[in-house]
Amino acid sequence: LRRHSQAVVVATADSGGGLTVRERVPVTSATSAFPRLAVLSSDVIALAWRDGRRGKGSRVRVAAIDGDHFAGAPRTAGTNATQIVLAARGAGASVGWTSPLHSIRRAGRSGTPRALPRTLTVRSLDGHGRPTGTAAKVGSDVGATARLAASPDGRLVASWLRPQKVLPVAGDLQGDPPPPSAIVAPLAFTRQVLPRTLPARPLGSAGAIPGGVPSIALGAGGQAVAAMRVSPPNVGPAFDAVAAGSTGGGPWSGTRLVAHLGFSNFDPVAVATPSDGALIVSTALVAAPGTPLWTVEAADATGVHAVGTTNGGDGRGLAVARAGSRVLIAWPTAAGVQVSERG
């Protein structure tokens, strides 16, 4: 699924990599974006995308592929979207979207205009990819991006990163830099949305600053594992991968170090596995002169294992997917895309 000109194009690939276009959906604006897909338990493929420029005029559109073509006409699940997220859950799926920056609040006492915070809204899709029930706001002050994690037993967890804030101070209209006391560091949050909605819970590491949105893996027996990239205190431009656990939607345990990443902008991905509980995939900068290179690493209960190297920008560009008991990891290299299978 990709954005192409002013249409969302759905294509399938054969064993030789050849693409066959199956569906082409016209969109109202070339800025329509964030096409997403998820495979449901019925093997129907749910699709979601934003139609239109981000803002009040945009629509969250959903459709389903059954076989090679749409099972019905695309439907609207919501409006006022910027980013789209989608996750298969139980027999159906859930689609979420973050709101754009809204109108500016009136100037406060300091005279500095403030934007309204973004929100995260979620709506359920049935086993045919059709919107059901009503949309619910599950997160506020979520920043530009968010994630959804779901499981076959129907659980749904949202995660987001509250962005850094600068509190109003006297003199900010004169361009003076704010004092350290006025800077509020980013903070990561997670929230169980289904089967019952629980309060949002912070996820953090003592003194560390989160560098991205947490990735959540939902395992059997109500178990959950969160992985996150953080900047340790009193350290330069370098990051660590940390993880935490939770049971039954309860509070997160204290975070534990998974791996030192160095300068890597890839947010670790947590994947639930039947045998090892969770696999955490990350990239770590190779400390060597010359062209920057990152090691692709997979951490499980036995330790951290190197599965390859990538020269992708700042260690990014990886794709991680679970198929049954297997986890597939793909990453770019100078020679093409490499794939590793775990499990």
PDB file of all heavy atoms in Angstrom, residues 203-239:
ATOM      1  N   LEU A 203       5.805   6.059  31.372  1.00  0.00           N
ATOM      2  CA  LEU A 203       6.838   5.035  31.210  1.00  0.00           C
ATOM      3  C   LEU A 203       8.164   5.765  31.106  1.00  0.00           C
ATOM      4  O   LEU A 203       8.380   6.551  30.182  1.00  0.00           O
ATOM      5  CB  LEU A 203       6.578   4.202  29.953  1.00  0.00           C
ATOM      6  CG  LEU A 203       7.639   3.175  29.584  1.00  0.00           C
ATOM      7  CD1 LEU A 203       7.745   2.103  30.663  1.00  0.00           C
ATOM      8  CD2 LEU A 203       7.319   2.537  28.238  1.00  0.00           C
ATOM      9  N   GLY A 204       9.047   5.520  32.049  1.00  0.00           N
ATOM     10  CA  GLY A 204      10.302   6.261  32.029  1.00  0.00           C
ATOM     11  C   GLY A 204      11.418   5.534  32.723  1.00  0.00           C
ATOM     12  O   GLY A 204      11.221   4.509  33.379  1.00  0.00           O
ATOM     13  N   SER A 205      12.598   6.074  32.556  1.00  0.00           N
ATOM     14  CA  SER A 205      13.813   5.573  33.188  1.00  0.00           C
ATOM     15  C   SER A 205      14.399   6.727  33.976  1.00  0.00           C
ATOM     16  O   SER A 205      14.489   7.854  33.478  1.00  0.00           O
ATOM     17  CB  SER A 205      14.801   5.079  32.125  1.00  0.00           C
ATOM     18  OG  SER A 205      15.973   4.560  32.703  1.00  0.00           O
ATOM     19  N   ALA A 206      14.802   6.477  35.216  1.00  0.00           N
ATOM     20  CA  ALA A 206      15.228   7.534  36.126  1.00  0.00           C
ATOM     21  C   ALA A 206      16.273   8.443  35.485  1.00  0.00           C
ATOM     22  O   ALA A 206      17.354   7.990  35.102  1.00  0.00           O
ATOM     23  CB  ALA A 206      15.783   6.927  37.406  1.00  0.00           C
ATOM     24  N   GLY A 207      15.930   9.717  35.355  1.00  0.00           N
ATOM     25  CA  GLY A 207      16.856  10.705  34.842  1.00  0.00           C
ATOM     26  C   GLY A 207      17.041  10.703  33.343  1.00  0.00           C
ATOM     27  O   GLY A 207      17.659  11.608  32.791  1.00  0.00           O
ATOM     28  N   ALA A 208      16.509   9.684  32.651  1.00  0.00           N
ATOM     29  CA  ALA A 208      16.694   9.584  31.204  1.00  0.00           C
ATOM     30  C   ALA A 208      15.574  10.314  30.472  1.00  0.00           C
ATOM     31  O   ALA A 208      14.448  10.415  30.969  1.00  0.00           O
ATOM     32  CB  ALA A 208      16.749   8.130  30.772  1.00  0.00           C
ATOM     33  N   ILE A 209      15.879  10.807  29.268  1.00  0.00           N
ATOM     34  CA  ILE A 209      14.904  11.515  28.451  1.00  0.00           C
ATOM     35  C   ILE A 209      14.491  10.608  27.301  1.00  0.00           C
ATOM     36  O   ILE A 209      15.346  10.148  26.544  1.00  0.00           O
ATOM     37  CB  ILE A 209      15.490  12.826  27.915  1.00  0.00           C
ATOM     38  CG1 ILE A 209      15.866  13.746  29.076  1.00  0.00           C
ATOM     39  CG2 ILE A 209      14.490  13.523  26.991  1.00  0.00           C
ATOM     40  CD1 ILE A 209      16.555  15.016  28.648  1.00  0.00           C
ATOM     41  N   PRO A 210      13.194  10.316  27.145  1.00  0.00           N
ATOM     42  CA  PRO A 210      12.768   9.439  26.055  1.00  0.00           C
ATOM     43  C   PRO A 210      13.038  10.071  24.702  1.00  0.00           C
ATOM     44  O   PRO A 210      12.863  11.277  24.513  1.00  0.00           O
ATOM     45  CB  PRO A 210      11.268   9.249  26.307  1.00  0.00           C
ATOM     46  CG  PRO A 210      10.872  10.414  27.151  1.00  0.00           C
ATOM     47  CD  PRO A 210      12.064  10.766  27.977  1.00  0.00           C
ATOM     48  N   GLY A 211      13.467   9.219  23.761  1.00  0.00           N
ATOM     49  CA  GLY A 211      13.784   9.716  22.430  1.00  0.00           C
ATOM     50  C   GLY A 211      12.752   9.376  21.387  1.00  0.00           C
ATOM     51  O   GLY A 211      12.879   9.776  20.230  1.00  0.00           O
ATOM     52  N   GLY A 212      11.723   8.605  21.764  1.00  0.00           N
ATOM     53  CA  GLY A 212      10.720   8.218  20.791  1.00  0.00           C
ATOM     54  C   GLY A 212       9.526   7.575  21.467  1.00  0.00           C
ATOM     55  O   GLY A 212       9.495   7.389  22.686  1.00  0.00           O
ATOM     56  N   VAL A 213       8.529   7.218  20.659  1.00  0.00           N
ATOM     57  CA  VAL A 213       7.301   6.614  21.164  1.00  0.00           C
ATOM     58  C   VAL A 213       7.575   5.163  21.557  1.00  0.00           C
ATOM     59  O   VAL A 213       8.203   4.425  20.793  1.00  0.00           O
ATOM     60  CB  VAL A 213       6.197   6.677  20.094  1.00  0.00           C
ATOM     61  CG1 VAL A 213       4.921   5.995  20.587  1.00  0.00           C
ATOM     62  CG2 VAL A 213       5.909   8.120  19.714  1.00  0.00           C
ATOM     63  N   PRO A 214       7.129   4.715  22.725  1.00  0.00           N
ATOM     64  CA  PRO A 214       7.365   3.320  23.131  1.00  0.00           C
ATOM     65  C   PRO A 214       6.696   2.330  22.187  1.00  0.00           C
ATOM     66  O   PRO A 214       5.627   2.590  21.630  1.00  0.00           O
ATOM     67  CB  PRO A 214       6.735   3.248  24.531  1.00  0.00           C
ATOM     68  CG  PRO A 214       6.633   4.660  24.996  1.00  0.00           C
ATOM     69  CD  PRO A 214       6.438   5.487  23.768  1.00  0.00           C
ATOM     70  N   SER A 215       7.335   1.174  22.024  1.00  0.00           N
ATOM     71  CA  SER A 215       6.766   0.049  21.281  1.00  0.00           C
ATOM     72  C   SER A 215       6.303  -0.985  22.297  1.00  0.00           C
ATOM     73  O   SER A 215       7.039  -1.333  23.220  1.00  0.00           O
ATOM     74  CB  SER A 215       7.809  -0.550  20.342  1.00  0.00           C
ATOM     75  OG  SER A 215       7.342  -1.755  19.757  1.00  0.00           O
ATOM     76  N   ILE A 216       5.084  -1.492  22.133  1.00  0.00           N
ATOM     77  CA  ILE A 216       4.479  -2.411  23.094  1.00  0.00           C
ATOM     78  C   ILE A 216       4.268  -3.776  22.446  1.00  0.00           C
ATOM     79  O   ILE A 216       3.772  -3.860  21.316  1.00  0.00           O
ATOM     80  CB  ILE A 216       3.125  -1.891  23.610  1.00  0.00           C
ATOM     81  CG1 ILE A 216       3.233  -0.419  24.039  1.00  0.00           C
ATOM     82  CG2 ILE A 216       2.619  -2.758  24.748  1.00  0.00           C
ATOM     83  CD1 ILE A 216       4.172  -0.176  25.182  1.00  0.00           C
ATOM     84  N   ALA A 217       4.649  -4.851  23.157  1.00  0.00           N
ATOM     85  CA  ALA A 217       4.376  -6.221  22.732  1.00  0.00           C
ATOM     86  C   ALA A 217       3.433  -6.839  23.744  1.00  0.00           C
ATOM     87  O   ALA A 217       3.717  -6.836  24.948  1.00  0.00           O
ATOM     88  CB  ALA A 217       5.667  -7.029  22.642  1.00  0.00           C
ATOM     89  N   LEU A 218       2.294  -7.374  23.277  1.00  0.00           N
ATOM     90  CA  LEU A 218       1.292  -7.976  24.142  1.00  0.00           C
ATOM     91  C   LEU A 218       1.395  -9.495  24.038  1.00  0.00           C
ATOM     92  O   LEU A 218       1.153 -10.072  22.969  1.00  0.00           O
ATOM     93  CB  LEU A 218      -0.106  -7.499  23.748  1.00  0.00           C
ATOM     94  CG  LEU A 218      -0.322  -5.979  23.805  1.00  0.00           C
ATOM     95  CD1 LEU A 218      -1.731  -5.626  23.350  1.00  0.00           C
ATOM     96  CD2 LEU A 218      -0.058  -5.440  25.198  1.00  0.00           C
ATOM     97  N   GLY A 219       1.758 -10.149  25.141  1.00  0.00           N
ATOM     98  CA  GLY A 219       1.921 -11.589  25.158  1.00  0.00           C
ATOM     99  C   GLY A 219       0.749 -12.292  25.806  1.00  0.00           C
ATOM    100  O   GLY A 219      -0.281 -11.692  26.126  1.00  0.00           O
ATOM    101  N   ALA A 220       0.923 -13.587  26.037  1.00  0.00           N
ATOM    102  CA  ALA A 220      -0.138 -14.392  26.625  1.00  0.00           C
ATOM    103  C   ALA A 220      -0.284 -14.075  28.108  1.00  0.00           C
ATOM    104  O   ALA A 220       0.636 -13.550  28.747  1.00  0.00           O
ATOM    105  CB  ALA A 220       0.171 -15.877  26.425  1.00  0.00           C
ATOM    106  N   GLY A 221      -1.465 -14.401  28.658  1.00  0.00           N
ATOM    107  CA  GLY A 221      -1.681 -14.239  30.084  1.00  0.00           C
ATOM    108  C   GLY A 221      -1.680 -12.811  30.576  1.00  0.00           C
ATOM    109  O   GLY A 221      -1.376 -12.561  31.748  1.00  0.00           O
ATOM    110  N   GLY A 222      -2.026 -11.868  29.714  1.00  0.00           N
ATOM    111  CA  GLY A 222      -2.057 -10.469  30.125  1.00  0.00           C
ATOM    112  C   GLY A 222      -0.701  -9.814  30.260  1.00  0.00           C
ATOM    113  O   GLY A 222      -0.596  -8.699  30.778  1.00  0.00           O
ATOM    114  N   GLN A 223       0.349 -10.499  29.779  1.00  0.00           N
ATOM    115  CA  GLN A 223       1.692  -9.931  29.875  1.00  0.00           C
ATOM    116  C   GLN A 223       1.922  -8.882  28.788  1.00  0.00           C
ATOM    117  O   GLN A 223       1.380  -8.978  27.684  1.00  0.00           O
ATOM    118  CB  GLN A 223       2.746 -11.038  29.741  1.00  0.00           C
ATOM    119  CG  GLN A 223       2.651 -12.132  30.790  1.00  0.00           C
ATOM    120  CD  GLN A 223       2.966 -11.608  32.177  1.00  0.00           C
ATOM    121  OE1 GLN A 223       3.923 -10.868  32.357  1.00  0.00           O
ATOM    122  NE2 GLN A 223       2.167 -11.999  33.153  1.00  0.00           N
ATOM    123  N   ALA A 224       2.724  -7.880  29.111  1.00  0.00           N
ATOM    124  CA  ALA A 224       3.087  -6.844  28.147  1.00  0.00           C
ATOM    125  C   ALA A 224       4.536  -6.431  28.374  1.00  0.00           C
ATOM    126  O   ALA A 224       5.020  -6.418  29.508  1.00  0.00           O
ATOM    127  CB  ALA A 224       2.172  -5.631  28.274  1.00  0.00           C
ATOM    128  N   VAL A 225       5.232  -6.119  27.289  1.00  0.00           N
ATOM    129  CA  VAL A 225       6.603  -5.628  27.343  1.00  0.00           C
ATOM    130  C   VAL A 225       6.670  -4.348  26.531  1.00  0.00           C
ATOM    131  O   VAL A 225       6.138  -4.276  25.417  1.00  0.00           O
ATOM    132  CB  VAL A 225       7.606  -6.658  26.791  1.00  0.00           C
ATOM    133  CG1 VAL A 225       9.004  -6.067  26.712  1.00  0.00           C
ATOM    134  CG2 VAL A 225       7.611  -7.915  27.654  1.00  0.00           C
ATOM    135  N   ALA A 226       7.297  -3.322  27.087  1.00  0.00           N
ATOM    136  CA  ALA A 226       7.493  -2.047  26.400  1.00  0.00           C
ATOM    137  C   ALA A 226       8.972  -1.824  26.154  1.00  0.00           C
ATOM    138  O   ALA A 226       9.805  -2.114  27.019  1.00  0.00           O
ATOM    139  CB  ALA A 226       6.934  -0.899  27.232  1.00  0.00           C
ATOM    140  N   ALA A 227       9.308  -1.350  24.972  1.00  0.00           N
ATOM    141  CA  ALA A 227      10.693  -1.005  24.630  1.00  0.00           C
ATOM    142  C   ALA A 227      10.730   0.448  24.194  1.00  0.00           C
ATOM    143  O   ALA A 227       9.801   0.940  23.539  1.00  0.00           O
ATOM    144  CB  ALA A 227      11.226  -1.913  23.524  1.00  0.00           C
ATOM    145  N   MET A 228      11.827   1.132  24.535  1.00  0.00           N
ATOM    146  CA  MET A 228      11.897   2.559  24.262  1.00  0.00           C
ATOM    147  C   MET A 228      13.355   2.985  24.119  1.00  0.00           C
ATOM    148  O   MET A 228      14.255   2.396  24.733  1.00  0.00           O
ATOM    149  CB  MET A 228      11.219   3.330  25.399  1.00  0.00           C
ATOM    150  CG  MET A 228      11.120   4.825  25.204  1.00  0.00           C
ATOM    151  SD  MET A 228      10.069   5.600  26.480  1.00  0.00           S
ATOM    152  CE  MET A 228      10.938   5.135  27.970  1.00  0.00           C
ATOM    153  N   ARG A 229      13.567   3.997  23.310  1.00  0.00           N
ATOM    154  CA  ARG A 229      14.898   4.595  23.151  1.00  0.00           C
ATOM    155  C   ARG A 229      14.984   5.803  24.070  1.00  0.00           C
ATOM    156  O   ARG A 229      14.124   6.682  24.032  1.00  0.00           O
ATOM    157  CB  ARG A 229      15.103   4.995  21.689  1.00  0.00           C
ATOM    158  CG  ARG A 229      16.435   5.608  21.334  1.00  0.00           C
ATOM    159  CD  ARG A 229      16.556   5.749  19.817  1.00  0.00           C
ATOM    160  NE  ARG A 229      15.447   6.499  19.272  1.00  0.00           N
ATOM    161  CZ  ARG A 229      15.483   7.806  18.987  1.00  0.00           C
ATOM    162  NH1 ARG A 229      16.585   8.499  19.205  1.00  0.00           N
ATOM    163  NH2 ARG A 229      14.430   8.416  18.480  1.00  0.00           N
ATOM    164  N   VAL A 230      16.024   5.860  24.909  1.00  0.00           N
ATOM    165  CA  VAL A 230      16.174   6.963  25.847  1.00  0.00           C
ATOM    166  C   VAL A 230      17.589   7.514  25.778  1.00  0.00           C
ATOM    167  O   VAL A 230      18.531   6.822  25.388  1.00  0.00           O
ATOM    168  CB  VAL A 230      15.862   6.529  27.301  1.00  0.00           C
ATOM    169  CG1 VAL A 230      14.452   5.976  27.414  1.00  0.00           C
ATOM    170  CG2 VAL A 230      16.885   5.526  27.804  1.00  0.00           C
ATOM    171  N   SER A 231      17.712   8.779  26.166  1.00  0.00           N
ATOM    172  CA  SER A 231      19.013   9.415  26.290  1.00  0.00           C
ATOM    173  C   SER A 231      19.404   9.412  27.766  1.00  0.00           C
ATOM    174  O   SER A 231      18.723  10.039  28.582  1.00  0.00           O
ATOM    175  CB  SER A 231      18.965  10.851  25.753  1.00  0.00           C
ATOM    176  OG  SER A 231      20.211  11.495  25.910  1.00  0.00           O
ATOM    177  N   PRO A 232      20.453   8.688  28.149  1.00  0.00           N
ATOM    178  CA  PRO A 232      20.820   8.617  29.575  1.00  0.00           C
ATOM    179  C   PRO A 232      21.223   9.988  30.106  1.00  0.00           C
ATOM    180  O   PRO A 232      21.639  10.868  29.351  1.00  0.00           O
ATOM    181  CB  PRO A 232      22.014   7.647  29.579  1.00  0.00           C
ATOM    182  CG  PRO A 232      21.952   6.929  28.270  1.00  0.00           C
ATOM    183  CD  PRO A 232      21.337   7.891  27.306  1.00  0.00           C
ATOM    184  N   PRO A 233      21.088  10.186  31.407  1.00  0.00           N
ATOM    185  CA  PRO A 233      21.470  11.480  31.983  1.00  0.00           C
ATOM    186  C   PRO A 233      22.967  11.734  31.860  1.00  0.00           C
ATOM    187  O   PRO A 233      23.785  10.809  31.944  1.00  0.00           O
ATOM    188  CB  PRO A 233      21.048  11.342  33.449  1.00  0.00           C
ATOM    189  CG  PRO A 233      20.998   9.871  33.710  1.00  0.00           C
ATOM    190  CD  PRO A 233      20.578   9.246  32.420  1.00  0.00           C
ATOM    191  N   ASN A 234      23.310  12.983  31.619  1.00  0.00           N
ATOM    192  CA  ASN A 234      24.709  13.427  31.574  1.00  0.00           C
ATOM    193  C   ASN A 234      25.521  12.703  30.494  1.00  0.00           C
ATOM    194  O   ASN A 234      26.714  12.445  30.646  1.00  0.00           O
ATOM    195  CB  ASN A 234      25.385  13.223  32.939  1.00  0.00           C
ATOM    196  CG  ASN A 234      24.644  13.933  34.051  1.00  0.00           C
ATOM    197  OD1 ASN A 234      24.211  15.073  33.895  1.00  0.00           O
ATOM    198  ND2 ASN A 234      24.477  13.253  35.191  1.00  0.00           N
ATOM    199  N   VAL A 235      24.845  12.345  29.395  1.00  0.00           N
ATOM    200  CA  VAL A 235      25.516  11.695  28.264  1.00  0.00           C
ATOM    201  C   VAL A 235      25.244  12.544  27.030  1.00  0.00           C
ATOM    202  O   VAL A 235      24.168  13.115  26.883  1.00  0.00           O
ATOM    203  CB  VAL A 235      25.002  10.253  28.066  1.00  0.00           C
ATOM    204  CG1 VAL A 235      25.612   9.627  26.813  1.00  0.00           C
ATOM    205  CG2 VAL A 235      25.336   9.395  29.284  1.00  0.00           C
ATOM    206  N   GLY A 236      26.206  12.585  26.111  1.00  0.00           N
ATOM    207  CA  GLY A 236      26.064  13.382  24.898  1.00  0.00           C
ATOM    208  C   GLY A 236      25.021  12.805  23.963  1.00  0.00           C
ATOM    209  O   GLY A 236      24.087  12.124  24.402  1.00  0.00           O
ATOM    210  N   PRO A 237      25.158  13.026  22.661  1.00  0.00           N
ATOM    211  CA  PRO A 237      24.154  12.544  21.701  1.00  0.00           C
ATOM    212  C   PRO A 237      24.242  11.026  21.518  1.00  0.00           C
ATOM    213  O   PRO A 237      24.732  10.514  20.515  1.00  0.00           O
ATOM    214  CB  PRO A 237      24.525  13.286  20.416  1.00  0.00           C
ATOM    215  CG  PRO A 237      25.996  13.537  20.534  1.00  0.00           C
ATOM    216  CD  PRO A 237      26.245  13.759  22.008  1.00  0.00           C
ATOM    217  N   ALA A 238      23.782  10.286  22.505  1.00  0.00           N
ATOM    218  CA  ALA A 238      23.796   8.821  22.467  1.00  0.00           C
ATOM    219  C   ALA A 238      22.550   8.307  23.167  1.00  0.00           C
ATOM    220  O   ALA A 238      21.949   8.996  23.992  1.00  0.00           O
ATOM    221  CB  ALA A 238      25.049   8.271  23.134  1.00  0.00           C
ATOM    222  N   PHE A 239      22.153   7.064  22.820  1.00  0.00           N
ATOM    223  CA  PHE A 239      20.913   6.511  23.332  1.00  0.00           C
ATOM    224  C   PHE A 239      21.126   5.095  23.853  1.00  0.00           C
ATOM    225  O   PHE A 239      22.093   4.414  23.491  1.00  0.00           O
ATOM    226  CB  PHE A 239      19.841   6.479  22.233  1.00  0.00           C
ATOM    227  CG  PHE A 239      19.439   7.843  21.734  1.00  0.00           C
ATOM    228  CD1 PHE A 239      20.057   8.377  20.620  1.00  0.00           C
ATOM    229  CD2 PHE A 239      18.462   8.572  22.381  1.00  0.00           C
ATOM    230  CE1 PHE A 239      19.694   9.636  20.143  1.00  0.00           C
ATOM    231  CE2 PHE A 239      18.097   9.830  21.923  1.00  0.00           C
ATOM    232  CZ  PHE A 239      18.709  10.357  20.809  1.00  0.00           C
TER     233      PHE A 239
END
